Amino acid sequence: MASKQLRILVPVKRVIDYQIKPRVNKTGTAVETTGVKFSINPFDDIAVEEAVRIKEKNKSLVESIHAVSIGPAKAQDILRNCLAKGADTSTLIDSKDVVLEPLAVAKVLKQVVEKQNSNLVIMGKQAIDDDCNNTGQMLAGLLNWPQATNAAKVEFTDNGKVNVTREVDGGEEVVSASLPLVITTDLRLNVPRYVGLQNLMKAKKKPMEKLALKDFSNVDLEPRLKVLSVEEPQPRAPGVKVNSVDELVDKLKEAKVI
Amino acid sequence: MIRFAGRNLQTLGSRVRRSRLASTLAFVETTKEGAIVPSSLNALAAAQQLGNNITALLLGPQATSAASVLKSSVQCTKLNKVLVSDEVKYEHYLPEKVTPLLVNLLKDEEYSHFVVASSAVGKNLLPRVAALLNYQPVCDITKIKDAKTFVRPIYAGNAIETVENTQSMALVSVRASAFEAVPEGSSESAVIEQISLSDGSTDLDVQWQSANLVKSARPDLSSASTIVAGGRALKDKETFDKLLVPLADALGAGIGATRAAVDSGFCDNSLQIGQTGKVVAPELYIAVGISGAIQHLAGMKDSKKIVAINSDPDAPILKVADYGLEGDLFEIVPQLTDKLMQARK
């Protein structure tokens, strides 16, 4: 029954910490990244948590959890964290300063999936830096696997199917798919755990394969979209403080919004 | 032969521009009942800004009736064709079923642009289609500068990026709140055409099981002109309903919430406004007991007028609010509701 076992791949991205307010750099070409705190993309953290929970709930179901990240060498910190949370093995694909578009990431991930012989990919629904919400769907397309995006609940049924409750406009829907499958996580799926120091120390012994982008020279990584500029959003005109409900209602009437 | 060479370059991932005709395919989403989903009307308006002739695509069992609704209810001068396929397999827009059809349609030279709304359906579908055609889409655009230059927010709206599409076709998803919907009227010149493409779909094992949609008589959040939203300060579901429902009724407003309120079970998550929920831009947004975290602001800061009712003078929401009223929301909200009811009479 080894074929029924899950070999889960969890792609994770290192992004500017969600609590930091990003600033546009002086040249207006990108967001300032020097001296800024980075963390795991929150949606990816949920993906790691889900993979670990699936394993904890049913040990015999999961053969392995492999975490992968494409990013600068520093992305190994977030991979260590994934290992500490319960991933078994990991791959760091060092991309130096190269920023890849989702299509390129999906193509690289496809090769990782094939190499790891994964049959379930769990990943965040979007990265909080580029806000694309692309990679999971693209990877599923390239692999010709079904996709279950914006997952709020993942259940494995006895007949080997996966029921995924998806968040959609106006509520939720349930889709049922069989493996292999790509799942992307919504915030409601779970609450990720914190990692203790002990687990973090133990994780140092877990394997981390190190590759570079040049190891994927057969993949077209050229950007397709040229960033012309990055700007701060238009600031809103300062508002006024009102002292009573009456004054508020008057102001709203004045502004003709009621 | 020329065509063959073009394909080959494309598969090599080269950025060679093929000469595509300037025309736009717009994916139009319909409800189960056969109405046009509002966000698709915003997407059509964006498609119109591209200046090309538009072909609309409607899929699913209700597509044929929805196509005539589209023709007779909206004025979209650039709309000259409506493609319809009412095959049952397209119901619920499962990407595994719809993608092969879209890939087939788009790999022809006919279209220079493909436009979808960045609704749950659009976001689910577009990247899969794009990857199979070997294109990087431009997602959640808020502005069209020209046929290849688009503006989109990044970092939860904390930065605005302008990108140039260097590919021979542009695949874009449109942030509905950033474009006015196409006006009511009719598009009589549009020709409805049934399509039956053998889409060579491989039967992936995926089924739609069920949906749990929130029924509400309130205006849909993404199109409401007034929104009343509540945060954690509303304490519990009972208080949330007791305070916000009458206020929303007095204004004919939609009700929204922060992630904290949703997580605390005050309301359904489909009401969540923010980077990870809905992005709205109504005329009037009343934030009740909402501190104004970055993730929430990303979803509402483009509202025309923002009112904040909060007891904390340092709450970040007051920095974006046009009118801030500091105080106890449990007193203020009922008073405001009364005043608004009187004003209505």
Side-chain angles (χ1 to χ4, degrees):
Chain A
M1 290 301 278
S3 63
K4 284 264 186 270
Q5 282 212 302
L6 297 175
R7 291 172 300 277
I8 306 177
L9 182 76
V10 189
V12 295
K13 185 177 186 182
R14 178 180 180 266
V15 297
I16 292 180
D17 190 273
Y18 73 99
Q19 287 176 316
I20 310 278
K21 189 176 162 62
R23 308 244 171 248
V24 172
N25 67 12
K26 284 199 183 72
T27 49
T29 50
V31 160
E32 190 58 63
T33 52
T34 39
V36 176
K37 186 188 174 197
F38 277 78
S39 307
I40 186 171
N41 178 41
F43 292 102
D44 300 343
D45 205 10
I46 291 167
V48 175
E49 177 69 27
E50 193 63 20
V52 174
R53 285 190 191 187
I54 293 168
K55 188 176 177 179
E56 285 171 346
K57 236 183 269 170
N58 194 341
K59 273 212 162 58
S60 62
L61 189 66
V62 179
E63 189 181 314
S64 63
I65 302 174
H66 187 88
V68 57
S69 190
I70 308 168
K74 282 180 178 164
Q76 65 175 289
D77 295 348
I78 66 165
L79 281 175
R80 290 266 174 247
N81 245 289
C82 297
L83 292 167
K85 286 185 179 186
D88 303 301
T89 52
S90 64
T91 302
L92 171 68
I93 301 167
D94 192 340
S95 61
K96 304 266 191 299
D97 299 328
V98 178
V99 178
L100 295 183
E101 289 172 352
L103 180 62
V105 172
K107 287 176 178 175
V108 171
L109 288 178
K110 178 176 183 255
Q111 299 210 347
V112 177
V113 165
E114 282 160 358
K115 188 174 169 192
Q116 295 294 326
N117 193 18
S118 315
N119 55 6
L120 177 63
V121 176
I122 309 181
M123 58 198 291
K125 73 162 182 179
Q126 78 186 60
I128 60 165
D129 50 3
D130 62 24
D131 286 340
C132 278
N133 190 336
N134 279 175
T135 313
Q137 296 90 309
M138 288 181 154
L139 179 60
L142 294 175
L143 290 162
N144 193 30
W145 291 6
Q147 66 189 52
T149 58
N150 298 18
K153 197 175 178 188
V154 177
E155 292 167 301
F156 291 83
T157 63
D158 293 335
N159 60 6
K161 295 230 176 178
V162 191
N163 289 339
V164 179
T165 305
R166 305 183 52 234
E167 298 203 357
V168 294
D169 298 337
E172 52 188 41
E173 68 177 23
V174 181
V175 292
S176 162
S178 58
L179 298 171
L181 172 68
V182 175
I183 294 173
T184 73
T185 61
D186 219 315
L187 278 176
R188 205 158 56 105
L189 184 58
N190 62 46
V191 180
R193 69 194 66 189
Y194 288 99
V195 195
L197 186 62
Q198 207 180 4
N199 283 334
L200 215 48
M201 296 308 286
K202 274 190 210 157
K204 287 192 171 169
K205 293 199 182 74
K206 288 188 176 177
M208 187 184 295
E209 175 191 30
K210 288 187 181 166
L211 301 173
L213 272 189
K214 64 172 167 23
D215 298 316
F216 297 84
S217 56
N218 54 340
V219 180
D220 162 30
L221 305 173
E222 275 297 298
R224 312 293 188 83
L225 306 179
K226 189 173 153 196
V227 178
L228 301 180
S229 69
V230 176
E231 295 161 68
E232 298 275 351
Q234 285 287 330
R236 288 186 75 94
V240 292
K241 205 166 238 189
V242 292
N243 295 310
S244 69
V245 170
D246 286 319
E247 199 185 335
L248 176 61
V249 173
D250 289 343
K251 291 275 186 202
L252 292 178
K253 277 184 188 157
E254 231 170 81
K256 296 196 165 64
V257 286
I258 56 168
Chain B
M1 198 56 205
I2 293 162
R3 192 182 166 92
F4 174 73
R7 279 288 154 75
N8 228 0
L9 287 171
Q10 189 68 23
T11 48
L12 285 171
S14 150
R15 283 189 278 130
V16 170
R17 282 162 206 235
R18 286 181 291 163
S19 58
R20 280 182 177 270
L21 295 167
S23 97
T24 300
L25 184 69
F27 185 84
V28 174
E29 210 180 310
T30 71
T31 63
K32 211 165 71 240
E33 293 78 22
I36 309 293
V37 170
S39 62
S40 288
L41 299 177
N42 305 89
L44 271 176
Q48 195 147 254
Q49 281 188 23
L50 291 166
N52 310 328
N53 282 331
I54 300 170
T55 300
L57 175 67
L58 283 86
L59 301 177
Q62 61 293 323
T64 305
S65 59
S68 39
V69 170
L70 181 71
K71 257 187 81 164
S72 61
S73 68
V74 303
Q75 188 194 343
C76 184
T77 46
K78 291 283 179 187
L79 182 68
N80 66 354
K81 206 194 279 181
V82 183
L83 297 180
V84 168
S85 172
D86 39 25
E87 286 198 50
V88 179
K89 67 174 171 186
Y90 300 133
E91 198 177 9
H92 311 303
Y93 303 115
L94 284 179
E96 297 81 355
K97 314 270 182 200
V98 177
T99 301
L101 171 78
L102 279 169
V103 167
N104 246 338
L105 274 174
L106 291 170
K107 73 183 176 200
D108 280 333
E109 314 281 307
E110 196 177 336
Y111 303 108
S112 57
H113 291 80
F114 176 54
V115 173
V116 302
S118 54
S119 61
V121 168
K123 285 179 188 168
N124 203 15
L125 204 54
L126 179 67
R128 190 178 177 105
V129 173
L132 289 170
L133 290 162
N134 196 23
Y135 282 94
Q136 172 61 49
V138 192
C139 295
D140 217 16
I141 61 161
T142 51
K143 206 168 166 187
I144 295 170
K145 286 203 159 169
D146 59 47
K148 58 174 186 175
T149 316
F150 307 95
V151 177
R152 60 182 298 268
I154 53 174
Y155 289 92
N158 281 296
I160 308 297
E161 181 184 69
T162 304
V163 296
E164 182 191 322
N165 178 48
T166 64
Q167 306 163 106
S168 60
M169 179 168 52
L171 294 90
V172 300
S173 64
V174 173
R175 178 174 286 196
S177 62
F179 294 85
E180 295 266 1
V182 282
E184 285 178 28
S186 68
S187 311
E188 285 308 325
S189 56
V191 182
I192 296 178
E193 205 175 285
Q194 294 280 340
I195 45 166
S196 55
L197 278 176
S198 78
D199 58 20
S201 70
T202 46
D203 272 328
L204 289 175
D205 184 18
V206 55
Q207 277 107 33
W208 184 89
Q209 296 284 347
S210 61
N212 180 14
L213 301 181
V214 184
K215 286 266 168 284
S216 158
R218 292 195 179 286
D220 179 57
L221 270 187
S222 50
S223 56
S225 65
T226 305
I227 291 174
V228 173
R232 191 165 16 209
L234 285 158
K235 287 206 171 82
D236 53 38
K237 183 171 171 35
E238 287 67 40
T239 321
F240 187 92
D241 290 342
K242 198 179 81 194
L243 288 177
L244 292 196
V245 171
L247 179 59
D249 285 343
L251 288 159
I255 293 182
T258 63
R259 180 168 156 70
V262 170
D263 283 350
S264 311
F266 298 0
C267 63
D268 190 83
N269 72 295
S270 63
L271 302 186
Q272 186 182 319
I273 290 168
Q275 187 197 10
T276 57
K278 291 214 166 54
V279 179
V280 298
E283 296 292 317
L284 174 62
Y285 189 92
I286 303 184
V288 179
I290 290 174
S291 65
I294 291 183
Q295 111 76 37
H296 184 73
L297 296 183
M300 47 64 76
K301 68 181 168 47
D302 292 324
S303 306
K304 305 286 180 300
K305 293 284 176 197
I306 298 173
V307 171
I309 299 169
N310 210 295
S311 58
D312 175 9
D314 297 323
I317 189 85
L318 291 168
K319 291 204 179 65
V320 301
D322 298 281
Y323 311 110
L325 181 51
E326 197 188 312
D328 183 359
L329 64 94
F330 298 96
E331 287 170 20
I332 292 171
V333 174
Q335 275 183 41
L336 179 60
T337 307
D338 283 349
K339 289 271 169 11
L340 289 170
M341 295 289 260
Q342 283 168 23
R344 275 204 139 184
K345 273 173 199 162

CSV table of all heavy atoms in Angstrom, one decimal, chain B residues 308-330:
chain,number,residue,atom,x,y,z
B,308,ALA,N,-14.7,56.5,11.2
B,308,ALA,CA,-14.2,55.5,12.2
B,308,ALA,C,-14.8,55.9,13.6
B,308,ALA,O,-14.8,57.0,14.0
B,308,ALA,CB,-12.7,55.6,12.3
B,309,ILE,N,-15.4,54.9,14.2
B,309,ILE,CA,-16.0,55.0,15.5
B,309,ILE,C,-15.1,54.1,16.4
B,309,ILE,O,-15.1,52.9,16.3
B,309,ILE,CB,-17.5,54.6,15.6
B,309,ILE,CG1,-18.3,55.5,14.6
B,309,ILE,CG2,-18.0,54.7,17.0
B,309,ILE,CD1,-19.7,55.1,14.4
B,310,ASN,N,-14.4,54.8,17.3
B,310,ASN,CA,-13.4,54.0,18.1
B,310,ASN,C,-13.1,54.7,19.4
B,310,ASN,O,-13.1,55.9,19.5
B,310,ASN,CB,-12.1,53.8,17.3
B,310,ASN,CG,-11.4,52.6,17.6
B,310,ASN,OD1,-10.9,52.4,18.7
B,310,ASN,ND2,-11.3,51.7,16.6
B,311,SER,N,-12.9,53.9,20.4
B,311,SER,CA,-12.6,54.5,21.7
B,311,SER,C,-11.1,54.8,21.9
B,311,SER,O,-10.7,55.5,22.8
B,311,SER,CB,-13.1,53.5,22.9
B,311,SER,OG,-12.5,52.3,22.7
B,312,ASP,N,-10.3,54.2,21.0
B,312,ASP,CA,-8.9,54.4,21.2
B,312,ASP,C,-8.4,55.5,20.3
B,312,ASP,O,-8.4,55.4,19.1
B,312,ASP,CB,-8.2,53.1,20.8
B,312,ASP,CG,-6.6,53.2,20.8
B,312,ASP,OD1,-6.1,54.3,21.3
B,312,ASP,OD2,-6.0,52.3,20.4
B,313,PRO,N,-7.9,56.7,20.9
B,313,PRO,CA,-7.5,57.8,20.0
B,313,PRO,C,-6.3,57.5,19.2
B,313,PRO,O,-6.0,58.2,18.2
B,313,PRO,CB,-7.2,58.9,21.1
B,313,PRO,CG,-7.0,58.2,22.4
B,313,PRO,CD,-7.8,57.0,22.3
B,314,ASP,N,-5.6,56.4,19.5
B,314,ASP,CA,-4.3,56.1,18.8
B,314,ASP,C,-4.6,55.0,17.7
B,314,ASP,O,-3.6,54.6,17.0
B,314,ASP,CB,-3.2,55.6,19.7
B,314,ASP,CG,-2.8,56.7,20.7
B,314,ASP,OD1,-2.8,57.9,20.3
B,314,ASP,OD2,-2.6,56.4,21.9
B,315,ALA,N,-5.8,54.6,17.6
B,315,ALA,CA,-6.1,53.5,16.6
B,315,ALA,C,-5.7,54.0,15.2
B,315,ALA,O,-6.0,55.1,14.8
B,315,ALA,CB,-7.6,53.2,16.6
B,316,PRO,N,-4.9,53.1,14.5
B,316,PRO,CA,-4.5,53.5,13.1
B,316,PRO,C,-5.6,53.8,12.1
B,316,PRO,O,-5.4,54.6,11.2
B,316,PRO,CB,-3.7,52.2,12.6
B,316,PRO,CG,-3.5,51.4,13.8
B,316,PRO,CD,-4.5,51.8,14.9
B,317,ILE,N,-6.8,53.3,12.4
B,317,ILE,CA,-7.9,53.6,11.5
B,317,ILE,C,-8.2,55.1,11.4
B,317,ILE,O,-8.6,55.6,10.4
B,317,ILE,CB,-9.2,52.8,11.9
B,317,ILE,CG1,-10.3,52.9,10.9
B,317,ILE,CG2,-9.8,53.3,13.3
B,317,ILE,CD1,-10.2,51.9,9.8
B,318,LEU,N,-7.9,55.8,12.5
B,318,LEU,CA,-8.2,57.3,12.6
B,318,LEU,C,-7.3,58.0,11.6
B,318,LEU,O,-7.6,59.1,11.2
B,318,LEU,CB,-8.1,57.8,14.0
B,318,LEU,CG,-9.2,57.3,14.9
B,318,LEU,CD1,-8.9,57.6,16.4
B,318,LEU,CD2,-10.5,57.9,14.6
B,319,LYS,N,-6.2,57.4,11.2
B,319,LYS,CA,-5.3,58.1,10.3
B,319,LYS,C,-5.8,58.1,8.9
B,319,LYS,O,-5.4,58.9,8.1
B,319,LYS,CB,-3.9,57.4,10.3
B,319,LYS,CG,-3.1,57.6,11.6
B,319,LYS,CD,-1.6,57.5,11.4
B,319,LYS,CE,-0.9,57.7,12.7
B,319,LYS,NZ,-1.2,56.7,13.7
B,320,VAL,N,-6.7,57.1,8.6
B,320,VAL,CA,-7.2,57.1,7.2
B,320,VAL,C,-8.6,57.6,7.2
B,320,VAL,O,-9.2,57.8,6.1
B,320,VAL,CB,-7.2,55.7,6.6
B,320,VAL,CG1,-5.7,55.1,6.5
B,320,VAL,CG2,-8.0,54.7,7.3
B,321,ALA,N,-9.2,57.8,8.4
B,321,ALA,CA,-10.6,58.2,8.4
B,321,ALA,C,-10.8,59.7,8.0
B,321,ALA,O,-10.0,60.5,8.4
B,321,ALA,CB,-11.2,57.9,9.8
B,322,ASP,N,-11.9,59.9,7.3
B,322,ASP,CA,-12.2,61.3,7.0
B,322,ASP,C,-12.9,61.9,8.2
B,322,ASP,O,-12.8,63.1,8.4
B,322,ASP,CB,-13.1,61.4,5.8
B,322,ASP,CG,-12.5,60.8,4.5
B,322,ASP,OD1,-11.7,61.5,3.9
B,322,ASP,OD2,-12.7,59.6,4.2
B,323,TYR,N,-13.7,61.1,8.9
B,323,TYR,CA,-14.4,61.6,10.1
B,323,TYR,C,-14.2,60.6,11.2
B,323,TYR,O,-14.6,59.4,11.0
B,323,TYR,CB,-15.9,61.8,9.8
B,323,TYR,CG,-16.2,62.5,8.5
B,323,TYR,CD1,-16.7,61.9,7.4
B,323,TYR,CD2,-15.9,63.9,8.5
B,323,TYR,CE1,-17.0,62.6,6.3
B,323,TYR,CE2,-16.2,64.6,7.3
B,323,TYR,CZ,-16.7,63.9,6.2
B,323,TYR,OH,-16.9,64.6,5.1
B,324,GLY,N,-13.5,61.0,12.2
B,324,GLY,CA,-13.3,60.1,13.4
B,324,GLY,C,-14.1,60.5,14.5
B,324,GLY,O,-14.2,61.7,14.9
B,325,LEU,N,-14.8,59.6,15.1
B,325,LEU,CA,-15.6,59.9,16.3
B,325,LEU,C,-15.1,59.0,17.4
B,325,LEU,O,-15.2,57.8,17.3
B,325,LEU,CB,-17.1,59.7,16.0
B,325,LEU,CG,-18.1,59.9,17.2
B,325,LEU,CD1,-17.9,61.3,17.8
B,325,LEU,CD2,-19.5,59.8,16.7
B,326,GLU,N,-14.5,59.6,18.4
B,326,GLU,CA,-13.9,58.9,19.5
B,326,GLU,C,-14.9,58.7,20.6
B,326,GLU,O,-15.6,59.6,21.0
B,326,GLU,CB,-12.7,59.7,20.0
B,326,GLU,CG,-11.7,58.9,20.8
B,326,GLU,CD,-10.7,59.9,21.5
B,326,GLU,OE1,-10.2,60.7,20.7
B,326,GLU,OE2,-10.5,59.8,22.7
B,327,GLY,N,-15.1,57.4,21.0
B,327,GLY,CA,-16.0,57.2,22.1
B,327,GLY,C,-16.5,55.8,22.2
B,327,GLY,O,-16.0,54.9,21.4
B,328,ASP,N,-17.5,55.6,23.1
B,328,ASP,CA,-18.0,54.2,23.3
B,328,ASP,C,-19.0,53.8,22.2
B,328,ASP,O,-20.0,54.4,22.1
B,328,ASP,CB,-18.7,54.2,24.7
B,328,ASP,CG,-19.2,52.8,25.0
B,328,ASP,OD1,-19.0,51.9,24.2
B,328,ASP,OD2,-19.8,52.7,26.1
B,329,LEU,N,-18.6,52.8,21.4
B,329,LEU,CA,-19.4,52.5,20.3
B,329,LEU,C,-20.8,51.9,20.7
B,329,LEU,O,-21.8,52.0,20.0
B,329,LEU,CB,-18.7,51.4,19.4
B,329,LEU,CG,-18.4,50.1,19.9
B,329,LEU,CD1,-19.5,49.1,19.6
B,329,LEU,CD2,-17.1,49.6,19.4
B,330,PHE,N,-20.9,51.4,22.0
B,330,PHE,CA,-22.1,50.9,22.4
B,330,PHE,C,-23.2,52.0,22.7
B,330,PHE,O,-24.4,51.8,22.6
B,330,PHE,CB,-21.9,50.1,23.7
B,330,PHE,CG,-21.1,48.9,23.5
B,330,PHE,CD1,-19.7,48.9,23.8
B,330,PHE,CD2,-21.6,47.7,22.9
B,330,PHE,CE1,-18.9,47.8,23.6
B,330,PHE,CE2,-20.7,46.6,22.7
B,330,PHE,CZ,-19.4,46.7,23.0
